[in-house]
Amino acid sequence: MGIATSMGGCAAIWGFEDGTARNESDATSDAPSADVLTVDDRAPASDGGADADADASTAPDAAVDATADSPIGIDAGDADAAEEDAAIDVVPETGDAADAGDPCTVAMVDPNAGIFVAGVGNDGPACGTQSNPCLTIQTGLDRASVDGLSIVYVQQGSYAESISLYPGITLVGGWQTSWVKDTSPTADSLVVLQPTSASSTVVATQLSSSARLCTLTVLSKAQANPGESLYGVFATGPGASLLLDDVVIVVSSGGDGVPGDGGAPPDASAGGGCASGDGGAGSPMGAAGASGSAGTFTSQGYAAGTGSPGQPGAAGSNGVDGGAPACVTCYGGCSALCGGTGSTTECGTRGTSGCGGIGGQPGTGGGGGGSSVGVYAWQTTVQITNGRITVGNGGNGGLGGPGGAGGAGGSGVVGNPGASCTTGCTSCGLACCTAVQGQPAGGSAGGRGGTGAAGGTGGGGAGGSSCATAAGDAGSVIATSTMMMTGDAGTGATGAPNGVSSTECQ
């Protein structure tokens, strides 16, 4: 969807949801999905609106360029609305002036207080000084923790990594190659952090004291895996708060749910030799699986709502009974007059029925769609000041797998013949008698078994959510002077619930 220009859209921009007022310094809107994340280092137009040459979706002071091909892109038809909305500036609250010694606002580095990181550095054992910076931010954080230093200075550049924070350490971007602080409105675009494979870009786990990030851009990886949720900042406690000052967060869309697998073919073939039946096809077919429930937030992040597998189909009925066997009179021998002596009866066995076909196996449930989350807080507090958060769409739920076909019924089996015996005596002349041998036949084969019923279809997965912020279990996200843009909620498959699109998901 594009940025709204209606009264409802204006209410969303200024922080009203469902008729409830939010902090009027928090601005929200919606943005459709796109596939590429880009950073715009252009300064805003002097009138506080969008630059004439800038992308129509660029918000005032925003370092993020949302093109029509990006996860937060805006359709060409929404350009006028975006320009109108872009003219609304977000003004920081008064009374928040930083101390002169605040590492997030000072113009000069302190060589003795921090570890230095630059794209031209190295991660050798002696890295971290201003003249010999480390190459990666994580190495800088590790070194600061070991050395008992409280600041990590990051020089402008793009860093392809996910990082884990330490308590008591402030990570500061916005430093030019000369290690002079950029004080322009686009200073947060100088340092861009984006992993290639991790689902979370910044991780803060059980901090014993507060950690802080300043003046940088946090991007998720470019594309989620099927069913995967992506997070700009993932903070879990219990622990102290995480502080974000002048941080831009852009997260790609969540991955669509994985479709369920079809029912497997019968693992055995029906044979003969079964009790008789009517030979009817199996009934009923397997019931469909239940649709996935709405996704929930846990200590591990977003748990997608996966559909349940279907039920197996009923087996087919056994075939009708086989035919009756033949019987013969057997003699123990021939008499002197060439007649049989000591008669008995010998019979074959009755033919048997074909076994009913095996019921079809069920399809598995479809996977739930992943979510796109800017900042996630579980049992901890995240405070955002002068930030900008843009998240993509929630992933669509996956379809349940189709049920497998039922197995064919088995053929009936002919009955076994009886034992050979003397069935008569034949005279061959004076004082000559020959015994005649015979054998009773088995009964005819019974009927073929009925085909098994198909297995049930798996349930559909629930849609994922688009959340600028999300919190749970006493966690909270407190945003001041922060613009938030959300994408569309993911669509649930086959009756499963859709996700939600909100600046504050719970």
Side-chain angles (χ1 to χ4, degrees):
M1 65 181 72
I3 296 180
T5 57
S6 64
M7 291 299 292
C10 292
I13 292 172
W14 287 109
F16 291 84
E17 291 187 18
D18 301 326
T20 303
R22 298 179 61 246
N23 186 334
E24 65 182 19
S25 61
D26 295 346
T28 67
S29 183
D30 293 331
S33 66
D35 301 318
V36 179
L37 302 179
T38 58
V39 177
D40 184 2
D41 58 1
R42 294 169 292 190
S46 59
D47 62 356
D51 187 275
D53 296 329
D55 185 275
S57 64
T58 305
D61 299 338
V64 178
D65 178 18
T67 67
D69 293 327
S70 74
I72 56 167
I74 293 182
D75 297 335
D78 296 329
D80 293 339
E83 289 176 355
E84 178 180 342
D85 290 341
I88 302 174
D89 202 358
V90 181
V91 181
E93 294 181 351
T94 59
D96 291 336
D99 295 335
D102 186 345
C104 291
T105 59
V106 294
M108 301 296 293
V109 298
D110 183 348
N112 299 317
I115 294 294
F116 293 80
V117 176
V120 295
N122 69 87
D123 283 342
C127 77
T129 64
Q130 189 171 354
S131 59
N132 183 31
C134 296
L135 176 64
T136 61
I137 296 175
Q138 188 62 60
T139 299
L141 290 166
D142 295 343
R143 185 61 50 82
S145 177
V146 171
D147 294 349
L149 299 175
S150 60
I151 305 173
V152 174
Y153 300 104
V154 184
Q155 194 178 92
Q156 67 184 71
S158 296
Y159 296 84
E161 55 181 307
S162 171
I163 61 173
S164 295
L165 304 181
Y166 289 98
I169 295 178
T170 298
L171 177 65
V172 188
W175 297 98
Q176 301 173 357
T177 55
S178 59
W179 292 110
V180 173
K181 191 67 174 290
D182 185 344
T183 58
S184 71
T186 58
D188 48 33
S189 68
L190 288 186
V191 173
V192 179
L193 181 61
Q194 181 180 30
T196 57
S197 60
S199 60
S200 301
T201 305
V202 176
V203 177
T205 303
Q206 295 184 335
L207 300 176
S208 58
S209 61
S210 297
R212 191 177 181 191
L213 274 69
C214 311
T215 320
L216 56 93
T217 294
V218 174
L219 307 181
S220 72
K221 67 178 181 179
Q223 185 174 4
N225 295 324
E228 183 181 28
S229 295
L230 299 180
Y231 309 86
V233 175
F234 189 92
T236 60
S241 63
L242 172 62
L243 311 177
L244 308 178
D245 295 331
D246 191 22
V247 175
V248 172
I249 299 173
V250 183
V251 181
S252 295
S253 296
D256 290 339
V258 179
D261 294 326
D267 56 5
S269 298
C274 290
S276 62
D278 61 9
S283 181
M285 66 177 295
S291 299
S293 302
T296 58
F297 288 102
T298 72
S299 61
Q300 304 302 311
Y302 183 77
T306 300
S308 299
Q311 298 296 315
S317 296
N318 297 333
V320 297
D321 204 359
C327 295
V328 297
T329 299
C330 296
Y331 298 98
C334 295
S335 67
L337 299 176
C338 207
T341 61
S343 66
T344 60
T345 301
E346 179 71 22
C347 301
T349 61
R350 178 179 287 275
T352 55
S353 306
C355 300
I358 299 171
Q361 296 299 301
T364 61
S371 290
S372 177
V373 182
V375 177
Y376 184 58
W378 181 270
Q379 294 184 341
T380 192
T381 300
V382 179
Q383 300 183 44
I384 310 169
T385 304
N386 298 328
R388 291 183 295 280
I389 302 175
T390 305
V391 292
N393 301 329
N396 296 322
L399 292 171
S411 300
V413 179
V414 175
N416 296 320
S420 296
C421 64
T422 298
T423 58
C425 300
T426 301
S427 176
C428 54
L430 186 63
C432 178
C433 185
T434 302
V436 177
Q437 299 298 307
Q439 183 179 24
S444 61
R448 176 180 288 276
T451 301
T457 301
S465 296
S466 174
C467 305
T469 65
D473 197 14
S476 64
V477 179
I478 303 171
T480 303
S481 301
T482 294
M483 177 174 287
M484 301 181 183
M485 299 177 68
T486 60
D488 295 331
T491 302
T494 4
N498 299 332
V500 300
S501 177
S502 176
T503 58
E504 299 176 351
C505 294
Q506 298 290 332

